[in-house]
Amino acid sequence: MIYDESFSIPFFIRYPGQLKPGVNDLMLGATDIMPTLLGMMNLGDQLPETVKGKDYSQGILTGKYRKVKKPVSQFFYQQKEKGVRTDRYSYLVTGDGNYQLFDNLKDPYQIHSLKIEEIPSIQTKLLKKELGNWLKVSEDGWAKEHKFPDRITY
């Protein structure tokens, strides 16, 4: 499930002399860890072309995300369910075409799933588009098949 307890996991970096203690709201995904850490070690050019993640090292080190912009969502996927989390909403589409939607500000414990019509349409479009983009980038089978086009924008 897309609950914050298993999805939004803090990522700690200690890099003496290079990184001052602080908190960053970067939504770092699992696929971004290797390229980011290699980038911090100046080994970013050693990345295989098959790596799908992004290198956020410059943004983490400088606080300025010019080269690679901060993502507006995190990607969640398992074989039978895929979703995204933005700074406000968590949206999950299940393998049978159903969905779950939570407003993480109004419902931080994610107890009450919302109907898609209950949030602003601009947010609905963003969630569907972000999920479609993540599925395409990860070369997921759902993107190849254009599964659930009413729930995901490819």
Side-chain angles (χ1 to χ4, degrees), residues 13-37:
I13 300 173
R14 183 173 184 268
Y15 197 3
Q18 298 293 320
L19 192 59
K20 294 179 181 179
V23 176
N24 189 319
D25 64 353
L26 174 67
M27 291 190 231
L28 188 70
T31 57
D32 305 319
I33 293 171
M34 182 179 66
T36 299
L37 292 178

Side-chain angles (χ1 to χ4, degrees), residues 8 53 98 111:
S8 293
N98 289 315
I111 295 171

Side-chain angles (χ1 to χ4, degrees), residues 76-100:
F76 171 85
Y77 70 99
Q78 293 184 349
Q79 188 174 0
K80 295 185 179 181
E81 52 188 27
K82 293 126 187 358
V84 291
R85 186 194 195 288
T86 64
D87 61 345
R88 175 133 189 202
Y89 297 102
S90 293
Y91 176 63
L92 176 82
V93 178
T94 61
D96 59 4
N98 289 315
Y99 70 92
Q100 285 188 314

Side-chain angles (χ1 to χ4, degrees), residues 3-12 24 26-30 33 74 76 85:
Y3 301 122
D4 270 358
E5 293 83 12
S6 62
F7 186 57
S8 293
I9 302 166
F11 186 72
F12 296 92
N24 189 319
L26 174 67
M27 291 190 231
L28 188 70
I33 293 171
Q74 287 175 288
F76 171 85
R85 186 194 195 288

Side-chain angles (χ1 to χ4, degrees), residues 139-151:
E139 298 177 1
D140 186 89
W142 284 18
K144 292 174 186 173
E145 298 172 28
H146 282 77
K147 284 190 97 164
F148 314 116
D150 56 326
R151 306 266 188 246

